[in-house]
């Protein structure tokens, strides 16, 4: 009988072979005979410290989270790019440009904006005050001293040559400029950051003025002659929540330029752009000068008392017998002037939302420490002390720089300027507080700024100094300049102070 061999059994209906079907039936019968057991669902056992199950994320919350992650990633990429592009700069330097508004014509934009923009019309119509409404311009005061013509003076102040031509042509019908050259008469100028004259005033004599202001593309010129009137006023100011001295002055019913005068006197102890705080109090005694019935300008600040978060300071103006200039002393006759100002920039208005960016910081570039002052393009930069110009020229990544040498081998270097002002040839002397340039963003920098470096040169060696030494409040701060009053000079000074101190006390403690 032939062998059948292995044969594949064809599955039955349902896909199972007869053998598998039988096995499955037997297993089913066994399960049916078992007692029923209730099957429990899988559950997560929570510990005592665990809270309730977290709800599903809100769609809006998820969107905000995703945007935040995207922004942080973008900032990280930009920061990495900037570090490659320029050593020592971080994304914080790009922040103003990234979050700021549109740039004005010729400006850099950002939350700091720009300072001293060219006005379309500078003539306000005020019968006496030619500078009314121009508090956002750059003010300078000089005099037509021996050998100085009006043209030479304006060039030294940084006015452009074409502007001077137009100004002289407008003034000549009203004044012989040759007669006032070298006469010593005061000249006051308000100009924009590009070197254009917004308004000018020549004081021929007390109460006799020649004034000019820009009206579109032309200059309006007028001659004023009124009886001068002078008075002394005692004023009390308190800074508001925005710590804005300019606003406090306006709220006291005074003119904006008073803020600049106060800041100039306090400039050895306080930077009112960066260090002012809400509720700081300032009392002043100031001369106010009028022509006829119209207020013209402020005269000298006779006394300034500051009480605030940065400390307590009192300044009293005194001009000694036989002296041609006045100085400020405390109540005991100690001089208040120091070898260096507290900041390399003159007081100027800023947007309240930018105030947090004003305090200086230290940055390291190519191993050199410098103080970084974030300021709007066009902010006025001044000489820290009396000194001599070493150089003023473009310098690669540092942009347009100015180097000044002071006594004892001390050198200050200003970098990233928009432009320089005046005659800054090597060897030219500068005086403390003199305007030497404007803040900008020349060279490799992402924002408008001024970078200040300080070093000392002695015996052929250069020693870099802490650039924020000028802002210290201890014994290492810049030295006091001048001798204290003594003897009969001190007696006369204290007698002079009696009515001033009384007036300050009447303003309230």
């Amino acid at each position: 009988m032939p062998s059948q061999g292995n044969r594949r059994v064809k599955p039955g209906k349902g896909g199972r072979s007869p053998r598998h079907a039988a096995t499955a039936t037997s297993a089913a019968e066994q399960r049916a005979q078992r007692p029923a057991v209730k099957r429990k669902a899988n559950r997560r056992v929570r510990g005592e410290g665990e809270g309730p199950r977290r709800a599903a994320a809100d769609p809006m919350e998820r969107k905000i989270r995703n945007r935040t992650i995207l922004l942080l990633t973008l900032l990280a990429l930009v920061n990495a790019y900037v570090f490659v592009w320029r050593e020592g700069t971080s994304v914080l330097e790009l922040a103003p440009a990234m979050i700021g508004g549109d740039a004005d014509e010729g400006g850099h934009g950002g939350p700091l904006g720009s300072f001293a923009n060219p006005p379309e019309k500078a003539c306000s119509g005020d019968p006496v005050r030619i500078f009314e409404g121009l508090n956002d311009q750059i003010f300078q005061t000089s005099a037509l001293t021996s050998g100085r013509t009006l043209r030479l003076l304006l060039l030294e102040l940084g006015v452009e040559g074409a502007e001077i031509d137009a100004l002289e042509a407008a003034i000549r019908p009203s004044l012989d400029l040759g007669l006032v050259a070298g006469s010593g008469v005061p000249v006051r100028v308000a100009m924009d950051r590009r070197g254009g004259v917004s308004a000018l005033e020549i004081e021929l004599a007390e109460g006799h003025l020649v004034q000019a202001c820009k009206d579109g593309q032309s200059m309006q010129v007028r001659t004023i002659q009124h009886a001068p009137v002078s008075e002394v006023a005692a004023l009390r100011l308190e800074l508001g929540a925005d710590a804005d001295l300019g606003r406090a002055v306006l709220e006291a019913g005074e003119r904006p330029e008073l803020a600049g005068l106060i800041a100039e006197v306090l400039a050895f102890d306080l930077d009112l752009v960066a260090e002012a705080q809400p509720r700081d109090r300032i009392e002043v005694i100031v001369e106010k000068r009028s022509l006829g019935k119209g207020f013209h300008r402020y005269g000298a600040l006779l006394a300034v008392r500051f009480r605030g978060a940065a400390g307590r300071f009192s300044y009293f103006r005194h001009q000694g017998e036989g002296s041609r200039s006045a100085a400020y002393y405390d109540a005991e006759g100690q001089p208040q002037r120091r070898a260096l100002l507290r900041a390399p920039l003159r007081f100027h208005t800023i947007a309240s939302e930018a105030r947090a960016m004003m305090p200086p910081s230290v940055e390291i570039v190519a191993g050199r420490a410098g103080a970084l002052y974030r300021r709007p393009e066009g902010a006025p930069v001044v000489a820290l002390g009396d000194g001599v110009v070493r150089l003023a020229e473009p310098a690669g990544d540092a942009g347009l720089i100015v180097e000044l040498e002071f006594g004892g081998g001390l050198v200050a270097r200003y970098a990233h300027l928009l432009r320089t002002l005046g005659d800054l040839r090597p060897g030219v002397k500068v005086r403390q507080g003199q305007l030497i340039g404007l803040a900008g963003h020349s060279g490799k920098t992402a924002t408008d700024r001024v970078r200040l470096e300080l070093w000392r040169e002695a015996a052929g060696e250069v020693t870099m100094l802490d650039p924020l030494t000028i802002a210290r409040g201890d014994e290492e701060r810049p030295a006091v300049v001048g001798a204290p009053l003594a003897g009969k000079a001190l007696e006369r000074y204290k007698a002079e102070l009696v009515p001033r101190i009384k007036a300050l006390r009447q303003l309230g403690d």
Side-chain angles (χ1 to χ4, degrees):
M1 184 171 170
S3 176
Q4 295 181 358
N6 293 333
R7 291 188 303 166
R8 180 180 181 184
V9 181
K10 188 174 182 179
K13 190 174 181 180
R16 296 185 178 183
S17 65
R19 181 169 57 85
H20 289 159
T23 304
T25 302
S26 176
E29 292 175 354
Q30 292 177 5
R31 284 197 299 268
Q33 294 174 1
R34 294 175 185 171
V37 178
K38 187 176 181 180
R39 188 174 183 181
K40 295 182 179 181
N42 292 332
R43 291 186 303 167
R44 180 183 177 187
V45 180
R46 299 181 178 272
E48 295 181 357
E50 291 189 81
R53 181 176 298 175
R54 186 171 58 184
D58 182 74
M60 182 59 67
E61 182 181 350
R62 188 185 302 112
K63 182 182 293 186
I64 294 174
R65 181 184 62 195
N66 292 341
R67 286 181 177 177
T68 302
I69 294 173
L70 179 61
L71 178 59
L72 291 175
T73 303
L74 175 62
L75 291 179
L77 291 174
V78 173
N79 204 29
Y81 164 74
V82 174
F83 268 108
V84 172
W85 178 59
R86 179 183 185 275
E87 180 185 357
T89 304
S90 71
V91 72
L92 294 176
E93 289 303 290
L94 285 182
M98 294 172 62
I99 66 176
D102 296 333
D104 68 298
E105 182 182 355
H108 192 54
L112 298 183
S114 53
F115 185 71
N117 296 321
E120 294 183 3
K121 181 180 176 66
C123 299
S124 66
D126 189 285
V128 173
R129 285 175 52 81
I130 198 68
F131 301 115
E132 184 69 26
L134 298 178
N135 56 292
D136 59 348
Q137 298 291 283
I138 300 167
F139 282 86
Q140 299 189 77
T141 300
S142 190
L144 294 174
T145 52
S146 178
R148 262 179 163 182
T149 63
L150 180 63
R151 169 173 286 275
L152 180 59
L153 180 147
L154 294 176
L155 285 172
E156 291 176 353
L157 297 182
V159 178
E160 293 295 316
E163 286 283 320
I164 299 175
D165 292 339
L167 187 59
E168 287 184 327
I171 292 177
R172 279 196 183 98
S174 303
L175 176 66
D176 187 342
L177 294 174
L179 294 179
V180 296
S183 63
V185 300
V187 177
R188 305 177 187 96
V189 182
M191 70 179 202
D192 60 54
R193 67 176 186 274
R194 301 176 186 171
V197 174
S198 302
L200 174 141
E201 180 176 88
I202 303 174
E203 189 172 358
L204 301 175
E206 190 75 18
H208 186 192
L209 308 171
V210 174
Q211 299 177 330
C213 61
K214 183 168 289 186
D215 184 9
Q217 299 299 317
S218 61
M219 299 292 295
Q220 287 188 13
V221 178
R222 67 190 184 192
T223 300
I224 296 177
Q225 193 163 4
H226 290 292
V229 178
S230 182
E231 63 175 334
V232 175
L235 309 170
R236 183 179 185 274
L237 309 172
E238 182 168 334
L239 305 192
D242 56 2
D244 187 344
L245 175 59
R247 187 184 300 275
V249 166
L250 293 177
E251 291 177 350
E254 297 299 322
R255 309 300 173 116
E257 60 263 37
L258 179 59
L261 295 177
I262 294 172
E264 183 179 356
V265 173
L266 293 173
F268 302 106
D269 287 303
L270 185 66
D271 177 6
L272 280 166
V273 174
E275 298 179 291
Q277 295 294 326
R279 303 193 68 180
D280 285 352
R281 290 179 292 173
I282 304 174
E283 291 96 26
V284 301
I285 300 175
V286 61
E287 294 177 347
K288 301 176 73 172
R289 298 179 179 177
S290 301
L291 295 179
K293 296 182 179 180
F295 174 75
H296 177 221
R297 64 184 180 89
Y298 292 100
L301 275 176
L302 302 178
V304 180
R305 182 171 65 176
F306 175 88
R307 291 175 294 170
R312 301 171 67 96
F313 317 109
S314 295
Y315 291 75
F316 298 94
R317 189 175 187 271
H318 174 68
Q319 185 169 347
E321 290 186 355
S323 175
R324 294 184 178 182
S325 60
Y328 286 91
Y329 300 84
D330 67 8
E332 301 303 319
Q334 298 293 325
Q336 297 293 77
R337 181 189 173 194
R338 292 185 177 271
L340 301 176
L341 297 174
R342 193 168 179 84
L345 291 108
R346 183 190 292 176
F347 177 84
H348 56 86
T349 57
I350 59 169
S352 59
E353 59 269 21
R355 183 164 297 280
M357 301 176 66
M358 294 299 102
S361 59
V362 175
E363 67 169 7
I364 308 296
V365 176
R368 299 167 64 98
L372 172 62
Y373 293 82
R374 300 173 182 87
R375 292 293 188 273
E377 179 182 86
V381 178
V382 297
L384 288 171
D386 296 333
V388 177
V389 178
R390 297 218 330 181
L391 61 86
E393 60 185 25
D397 290 356
L400 181 59
I401 69 169
V402 171
E403 286 186 6
L404 303 180
E405 182 175 356
F406 309 115
L410 181 64
V411 178
R413 186 193 203 211
Y414 306 75
H416 305 296
L417 302 180
L418 170 69
R419 60 189 293 248
T420 59
L421 297 179
D423 184 5
L424 296 183
R425 292 170 298 172
V428 172
K429 293 182 179 180
V430 295
R431 67 184 184 280
Q432 188 174 54
Q434 177 181 330
L435 194 60
I436 61 171
L438 304 178
H441 53 274
S442 58
K444 283 191 174 180
T445 175
T447 58
D448 300 319
R449 51 163 24 195
V450 174
R451 174 184 162 91
L452 175 70
E453 293 180 5
L454 292 175
W455 68 82
R456 193 176 301 279
E457 299 179 358
E461 294 186 359
V462 175
T463 304
M464 297 299 297
L465 304 177
D466 178 2
L468 293 181
T469 297
I470 56 176
R472 296 179 72 110
D474 53 23
E475 66 279 358
E476 294 187 23
R477 64 187 302 195
V480 171
V481 175
L485 299 175
K488 292 184 178 181
L490 180 60
E491 293 177 4
R492 287 192 295 268
Y493 170 72
K494 288 196 171 184
E496 184 181 288
L497 256 56
V498 172
R500 300 183 192 178
I501 292 177
K502 181 178 179 180
L504 290 177
R505 287 175 178 169
Q506 290 176 345
L507 293 174
D509 290 330

